[in-house]
Amino acid sequence: MRPLSPEPGEADLAERYAYPPDGTWLRANMVASLDGAAQRDGRSGGLGNAADRHLFLLLRGLADVVIIGAQTVRAEGYGPVKPSEGWDGVREGRTPVPPIAIVSRSLDLDFEAPIFTEAEVPTMVLATASADPARLAAAREHADVIIAGKDSLDFAVAVRELAKRGHRRLLCEGGPSVLGQLVAAGLLDELCLTLSPMLLGGNPTRILDAPPVPVPLELKLAHALQDEEFLFLRYTRSR
């Protein structure tokens, strides 16, 4: 073992979290307490601090598209992505903000909500061919719909279709069920994990809410940063 010695000065986060220059890369950004809880009072935001919020916004700026499960959109009260301080130069040659891509099999979505009506770049919906035809028609009126799978969502197809639209730098913000499916499909390239210095107890949801993965995904530590008592861990896979 060796000590984690902080480097002098502030880290260049845009450089530290830069995507690989080529190919499609799927990153997830999650937060967890010391005892593994992914939520506090039903929301992930209750676990973070100001630095976590800053990194959350920066990772959005670096991404081409932000993938979110419909349940997380409802629980966290998601709105559209908006430009943020600290984005200087990170979106050069791209849209002002990345679109949000909502994962929804049932299409139980409020298409009059700000995430659709106030988005600078049209919100996307990742859906299945077996979705209710009326809901699918409504989705197509208010969003850019990608059909990825028949009865269940095929995330490999979704990633390919997003890449065809020029979205190769992917950011998943959860929730735990969506992240679990991405890991099970072998699609996750990187996990950014904020470790919050809290012990919550109970039986909370973890960052992965899914059946056991038959072959565990092993990641390597790319870096570890510290702010106050929070740790910001970045793990990547080898390809």
Side-chain angles (χ1 to χ4, degrees):
M1 294 187 184
R2 55 190 175 87
L4 179 65
S5 300
E7 299 175 5
E10 292 291 321
D12 185 333
L13 296 182
E15 179 180 335
R16 289 270 191 166
Y17 288 92
Y19 279 85
D22 302 304
T24 301
W25 188 263
L26 177 57
R27 160 186 288 162
N29 183 33
M30 304 294 282
V31 61
S33 68
L34 293 178
D35 55 336
Q39 298 173 338
R40 182 185 181 193
D41 298 327
R43 296 169 65 98
S44 61
L47 292 170
N49 68 348
D52 177 61
R53 178 65 180 171
H54 175 73
L55 180 59
F56 174 88
L57 294 173
L58 175 64
L59 294 184
R60 285 183 158 197
L62 294 171
D64 292 333
V65 63
V66 180
I67 302 170
I68 310 169
Q71 184 175 345
T72 297
V73 169
R74 290 187 290 266
E76 302 277 350
Y78 262 77
V81 177
K82 296 183 179 180
S84 174
E85 292 183 11
W87 281 15
D88 295 344
V90 302
R91 297 205 60 77
E92 187 174 348
R94 295 186 286 167
T95 55
V97 297
I100 284 179
I102 303 174
V103 178
S104 180
R105 190 170 66 86
S106 67
L107 297 180
D108 180 18
L109 301 166
D110 179 4
F111 295 114
E112 300 302 322
I115 196 169
F116 293 102
T117 61
E118 298 179 9
E120 285 194 50
V121 180
T123 295
M124 309 174 79
V125 174
L126 307 179
T128 62
S130 61
D132 177 82
R135 297 301 297 170
L136 191 55
R140 284 178 167 143
E141 288 181 8
H142 296 88
D144 179 7
V145 176
I146 292 178
I147 299 297
K150 183 179 179 182
D151 297 316
S152 61
L153 200 124
D154 187 329
F155 281 94
V157 172
V159 168
R160 286 199 300 270
E161 291 300 317
L162 288 169
K164 287 179 183 178
R165 286 165 163 77
H167 305 314
R168 70 168 190 85
R169 289 164 285 203
L170 312 175
L171 171 64
C172 174
E173 293 181 352
S177 175
V178 170
L179 181 55
Q181 292 174 71
L182 290 171
V183 171
L187 296 170
L188 186 69
D189 297 299
E190 176 181 332
L191 173 64
C192 299
L193 178 64
T194 297
L195 193 58
S196 174
M198 299 183 187
L199 293 169
L200 301 182
N203 189 27
T205 300
R206 299 188 299 168
I207 65 168
L208 251 62
D209 184 14
V213 180
V215 180
L217 174 60
E218 295 188 7
L219 303 173
K220 62 180 182 180
L221 181 64
H223 71 227
L225 305 176
Q226 181 180 0
D227 179 82
E228 298 176 338
E229 307 309 320
F230 287 74
L231 286 179
F232 299 84
L233 309 175
R234 179 172 177 246
Y235 286 89
T236 61
R237 70 186 297 174
S238 300
R239 282 195 166 183

